[in-house]
Amino acid sequence: MVEFIMKIYDISMSIHRQMPVYKGREHKRPIITNDSNFSNSTVYESRIEMNLHTGTHIDSPLHMIENGSNMDFLNLKDLIRNCKVLDFKRIEDKITAKDLQTKDIAPGDFVLLKTRNSFSDILETDFIYLDASGAIYLSNIGIEGVGIDALGIERDQAGHETHKTLMKADIIILEGLRLADVDEGTYFLFAAPLKIAGVEAAPVRALLLDKEV
Ligand SMILES: [Zn+2]
């Protein structure tokens, strides 16, 4: 048997009642309750009720485009693959095409955008996002996926241009990453979503694997 020694970075958010949620909207906070425990049963079981855009998750086109494809159409091979972490932690508002031009991004890449969001527990408002010019730039290159360390890949753009531009180009969107411990570079991404049929998004336990040094 071949033994693979590797470093694992957990780049997922922890799901709990007080976790950050999109724009701090109370109804988006997950509700975790107990179905049975040892005082009323022989087994302990919990239940969770939450919006599928809670924590680390993938959006499919149905999220923003009427009749867009749902999560069933994603291919695992597109989510378990090499990726590039790009460091934008100096940016204070939004990532634009001009910012992306400073990085090595090639057709077919899956890029993860690391920003100062990763260094804060408060991702709810005023988070760094990818603006429409950046989304157009990435779709023109022909990348296959983009991830960001915010609960939304955009905010305060009236027509949701960033989401729509990426979705129309079949670019996978991975949101809610935590990248503080990960340096810029190439990694192996594991981002398989929960297999929930017919929905527009699903939670992911996102990991990056790297050679042990
Ligand atoms: Zn989402």
Side-chain angles (χ1 to χ4, degrees):
M1 198 177 99
V2 183
E3 198 176 323
F4 295 98
I5 302 169
M6 47 183 57
K7 187 162 172 52
I8 299 173
Y9 295 94
D10 186 351
I11 56 168
S12 310
M13 292 174 71
S14 183
I15 296 172
H16 59 91
R17 181 70 185 153
Q18 300 308 330
M19 70 188 290
V21 291
Y22 186 73
K23 294 202 168 175
R25 293 173 182 157
E26 276 308 308
H27 70 278
K28 292 198 184 254
R29 297 202 188 283
I31 300 168
I32 302 172
T33 52
N34 181 252
D35 263 9
S36 72
N37 60 65
F38 298 111
S39 70
N40 59 23
S41 170
T42 56
V43 292
Y44 191 101
E45 294 186 351
S46 304
R47 175 179 298 268
I48 187 162
E49 183 186 320
M50 69 178 201
N51 186 294
L52 290 175
H53 303 262
T54 303
T56 309
H57 69 280
I58 287 170
D59 281 349
S60 76
L62 180 60
H63 179 40
M64 293 282 174
I65 298 169
E66 199 173 354
N67 301 318
S69 63
N70 62 42
M71 293 295 290
D72 300 352
F73 294 88
L74 282 182
N75 190 330
L76 280 180
K77 272 203 281 194
D78 297 330
L79 299 160
I80 300 173
R81 50 160 294 161
N82 283 328
C83 76
K84 286 178 184 169
V85 174
L86 305 175
D87 193 332
F88 291 106
K89 63 177 180 283
R90 287 208 175 78
I91 285 178
E92 306 222 321
D93 182 30
K94 59 188 184 179
I95 299 170
T96 66
K98 220 173 141 200
D99 302 315
L100 292 163
Q101 279 163 14
T102 65
K103 303 291 185 185
D104 167 32
I105 305 173
D109 276 354
F110 200 122
V111 296
L112 306 185
L113 311 175
K114 175 181 178 176
T115 76
R116 68 182 169 89
N117 297 333
S118 278
F119 299 90
S120 164
D121 271 342
I122 305 160
L123 291 156
E124 295 183 337
T125 54
D126 294 339
F127 52 81
I128 312 296
Y129 65 102
L130 176 68
D131 85 345
S133 75
I136 292 166
Y137 179 79
L138 292 175
S139 68
N140 285 342
I141 289 177
I143 67 160
E144 289 180 0
V146 58
I148 192 161
D149 51 4
L151 286 163
I153 197 159
E154 70 184 307
R155 61 172 165 83
D156 308 327
Q157 296 188 124
H160 305 297
E161 299 104 315
T162 295
H163 274 91
K164 286 183 180 168
T165 299
L166 296 171
M167 286 167 170
K168 283 177 186 158
D170 287 323
I171 296 169
I172 294 167
I173 301 172
L174 177 57
E175 295 170 323
L177 298 175
R178 304 302 277 155
L179 297 167
D181 299 332
V182 186
D183 292 333
E184 182 164 282
T186 301
Y187 298 85
F188 192 80
L189 171 71
F190 177 92
L194 283 184
K195 201 171 180 177
I196 306 172
V199 294
E200 85 296 347
V204 173
R205 179 65 177 263
L207 309 171
L208 290 179
L209 307 180
D210 194 14
K211 280 189 224 79
E212 191 87 81
V213 281

